Amino acid sequence: MNGFREKLLANLEKSNESDIRAQHAATKTDDEIEDILFQRYREELAGNARLKQVIERGKSSDTYRFIPQFHFELPKNSDGLAQKLREEARTLFLQKRSKELLDNNELKLLWSLLESHHSPPLMGEEQYINYENYCKVAGIAGEKFKRYLTASTFARLVVSSSYPGKISVMSLFNYAMRKVWLQQTRIGLSLYDYTGQGYLNESDLESYILELIPTFPQLEGLEKSFHSFYVCTTVRKFFFFLDPLRTGRIRIRDILTCTFLDDLLELRDEEIPKDAQEMNWFSAPSALSVYGHYLNLDKDHNGMLSKKELIGYGSGTLTPIFLDRVFAECLTYDGEMDYKTYLDFVLALENRSEPQSLHYLFRILDVEHKGYLTPFTLNYFFKGIQDEISAHRAEPVNFADVKDEIFDMVKPADPSRITLKDLIVSGHGETVVSILIEFHKFWAYENREVMVTDSTASNGEETHNL
């Protein structure tokens, strides 16, 4: 940074500084003159003809006098000075925002003030505070606390309060802590947003997760050689659900508002129940399990999965027709699937009721790329189910009956075709997709009434024995 500053000052000295100062001495301050000198050097360094053109246009057009320029292009990669300036300005801005947040001592002070100014009587064991005392706390606490103790905050909390005109001291404190945490997390994520546009691409989020790993007690046992696979496993969930259109970037705001970040930061706890770890995609046992299944499927140990190897996924009854379409639509390398593509596949099949999963699976089912499914499309995939039925020597199922049942479930806007929107709105998207791509899911659906009857009879026998 010192070398950059010296270079800048040296170039400013080369400019015709005395002439510029004499020209603007009567109308400009020293700081403003230095800005002019700096801007001139910047234009010379970058050769930014477009900026000069805008300035000239502004001199000759009344529009630019009344409507200031509000769009500024991002600096080009070749413009090293502009990029450095943007980076430094963004860092200073984030540091300033970080200083505005409450630290641990200030949070303790807030709790102490709320406790000492609560409005008696106690409601059970919980303390409540009325608006008058709330305002007193805001005044005593000081300027830094006022953004957390606004009238609108009290109004929002009083709506859900059990006692009219009062809010829970604990609810208010939790609100303040949550707000501080969200702002801290936003600042932390923004440090990886190198363009300052409010988005993170895949490599940005990977860097963020990689630096978080040492702060999680629950990941202490992970070998360093597995860190890259853990980061990949974690990042894929964020991008699968927050970037279903595959734009290659996700908004920081979306990361903050989804529940994934809460699940990830649970790993800071010293102790997590075993069942909770198994349910958390980001836990070490879960990540190791997903990667372990991938390795088990990789029979030739080349680090990739072929169609023949992927047939063993899950129950082992995904139809060959469906898997052919998976490899036709998804990114593969010489006809084989890598770990990242496999993660998308797993997330789609394990969360079939979610809109993002239905979007993924619909793209595979849409053989003709028309944006909708027709009876022909349904029949194309159901042939794979019929082949499995024949292989198990079960009673054949008429496709016309299945087709009618699917259309009755979905109730599409156009009775001749089913769109992705129809599937999502119907609430039966998971069922429709499952009976077309996986034999054991179809068999469970086809025999659901028998299974319910058997379950009821079994429960009846247990009750009788009791």
Side-chain angles (χ1 to χ4, degrees):
M1 187 64 188
N2 289 334
F4 167 74
R5 180 180 177 83
E6 289 170 5
K7 183 181 176 183
L8 175 60
L9 291 173
N11 278 276
L12 286 175
E13 286 173 4
K14 291 177 186 176
S15 303
N16 195 357
E17 183 176 347
S18 57
D19 292 346
I20 294 173
R21 287 190 179 277
Q23 181 183 349
H24 298 283
T27 58
K28 305 286 185 183
T29 65
D30 286 345
D31 287 342
E32 288 172 333
I33 292 172
E34 285 181 9
D35 287 341
I36 293 170
L37 288 167
F38 175 78
Q39 186 66 19
R40 180 163 297 186
Y41 169 60
R42 181 187 178 284
E43 288 174 28
E44 290 173 3
L45 186 68
N48 196 338
R50 184 181 178 280
L51 183 59
K52 294 177 182 178
Q53 185 181 357
V54 170
I55 294 169
E56 291 301 321
R57 203 187 312 159
K59 292 177 181 177
S60 60
S61 172
D62 288 340
T63 305
Y64 282 84
R65 269 189 250 157
F66 300 106
I67 304 175
Q69 183 182 356
F70 53 84
H71 173 70
F72 298 89
E73 292 181 356
L74 290 175
K76 296 176 181 177
N77 292 333
S78 58
D79 192 350
L81 177 60
Q83 290 221 349
K84 185 67 176 176
L85 279 172
R86 185 178 180 83
E87 183 182 335
E88 289 296 323
R90 185 175 56 83
T91 302
L92 289 172
F93 171 75
L94 292 175
Q95 287 175 353
K96 180 182 176 184
R97 294 302 299 269
S98 183
K99 289 177 182 177
E100 293 172 359
L101 302 179
L102 301 180
D103 59 27
N104 286 336
N105 290 332
E106 288 165 332
L107 284 169
K108 288 178 182 177
L109 173 62
L110 176 61
W111 175 252
S112 174
L113 288 172
L114 290 173
E115 273 196 318
S116 61
H117 287 80
H118 78 274
S119 306
L122 289 175
M123 309 296 182
E125 295 183 358
E126 194 166 357
Q127 296 175 331
Y128 282 77
I129 187 170
N130 60 26
Y131 187 66
E132 183 181 353
N133 289 342
Y134 176 85
C135 291
K136 286 180 183 177
V137 170
I140 296 170
E143 193 66 31
K144 195 173 181 180
F145 292 79
K146 285 186 178 179
R147 60 189 301 188
Y148 303 94
L149 301 171
T150 62
S152 58
T153 299
F154 187 92
R156 281 198 298 269
L157 293 174
V158 81
V159 170
S160 57
S161 175
S162 304
Y163 298 94
K166 294 182 180 181
I167 61 174
S168 165
V169 167
M170 181 59 73
S171 297
L172 175 58
F173 185 71
N174 286 339
Y175 163 81
M177 285 187 64
R178 176 73 177 175
K179 189 168 182 177
V180 169
W181 175 80
L182 281 172
Q183 290 168 335
Q184 283 175 338
T185 307
R186 185 182 186 100
I187 291 169
L189 288 166
S190 296
L191 288 170
Y192 296 85
D193 173 22
Y194 297 109
T195 63
Q197 295 295 292
Y199 294 88
L200 294 182
N201 60 34
E202 202 162 332
S203 61
D204 296 334
L205 191 57
E206 284 174 351
S207 299
Y208 175 73
I209 299 297
L210 190 61
E211 292 196 17
L212 278 182
I213 289 177
T215 69
F216 293 153
Q218 291 297 321
L219 301 182
E220 285 179 357
L222 279 185
E223 295 183 8
K224 285 192 175 181
S225 59
F226 185 70
H227 282 187
S228 60
F229 294 101
Y230 176 81
V231 169
C232 181
T233 305
T234 299
V235 170
R236 281 324 302 160
K237 181 161 187 176
F238 280 95
F239 272 83
F240 182 84
F241 286 102
L242 302 182
D243 182 34
L245 298 180
R246 305 295 183 263
T247 63
R249 63 180 193 174
I250 51 180
R251 296 193 307 171
I252 291 176
R253 180 183 298 177
D254 292 337
I255 297 175
L256 291 170
T257 53
C258 74
T259 59
F260 302 153
L261 209 55
D262 291 333
D263 294 338
L264 179 64
L265 296 179
E266 273 184 11
L267 304 181
R268 288 177 173 171
D269 297 341
E270 294 289 342
E271 294 184 6
I272 300 178
K274 186 177 179 180
D275 56 342
Q277 289 190 43
E278 292 172 354
M279 294 294 292
N280 189 340
W281 173 269
F282 306 111
S283 70
S286 174
L288 289 167
S289 174
V290 172
Y291 187 64
H293 288 149
Y294 179 79
L295 294 180
N296 290 335
L297 291 172
D298 182 20
K299 301 300 182 184
D300 59 7
H301 306 293
N302 69 341
M304 309 281 276
L305 298 182
S306 64
K307 278 187 277 190
K308 184 178 179 182
E309 290 170 330
L310 194 59
I311 286 176
Y313 174 80
S315 64
T317 60
L318 291 169
T319 66
I321 291 175
F322 170 68
L323 292 176
D324 286 342
R325 284 291 301 150
V326 170
F327 278 80
E329 288 294 327
C330 298
L331 179 64
T332 57
Y333 302 87
D334 295 327
E336 294 198 316
M337 178 184 290
D338 69 348
Y339 184 56
K340 188 178 291 186
T341 306
Y342 172 76
L343 288 171
D344 285 345
F345 178 78
V346 171
L347 286 164
L349 292 181
E350 288 190 357
N351 302 275
R352 298 182 202 188
S353 62
E354 297 296 327
Q356 296 88 340
S357 299
L358 290 174
H359 183 277
Y360 175 97
L361 294 167
F362 188 88
R363 180 165 55 94
I364 294 169
L365 295 176
D366 185 14
V367 180
E368 300 175 285
H369 299 102
K370 290 183 176 179
Y372 56 82
L373 309 180
T374 63
F376 168 80
T377 315
L378 302 183
N379 188 34
Y380 176 82
F381 283 96
F382 193 69
K383 283 179 181 177
I385 299 295
Q386 288 176 321
D387 291 343
E388 292 291 330
I389 292 173
S390 299
H392 286 80
R393 297 181 180 179
E395 184 179 345
V397 177
N398 186 5
F399 167 70
D401 295 336
V402 174
K403 180 205 71 174
D404 291 342
E405 194 158 351
I406 288 174
F407 273 84
D408 286 343
M409 274 194 290
V410 176
K411 295 181 175 58
D414 184 331
S416 66
R417 61 181 65 168
I418 296 173
T419 65
L420 174 60
K421 182 179 179 180
D422 293 328
L423 273 182
I424 294 172
V425 170
S426 72
H428 296 288
E430 178 182 6
T431 303
V432 171
V433 168
S434 295
I435 64 179
L436 291 174
I437 69 173
E438 194 167 7
F439 174 68
H440 97 279
K441 292 282 187 180
F442 168 78
W443 191 252
Y445 177 78
E446 187 69 8
N447 296 278
R448 62 194 182 282
E449 294 178 359
V450 176
M451 294 172 68
V452 170
T453 303
D454 290 346
S455 176
T456 305
S458 175
N459 290 337
E461 288 177 9
E462 288 178 8
T463 304
H464 178 72
N465 291 335
L466 287 172

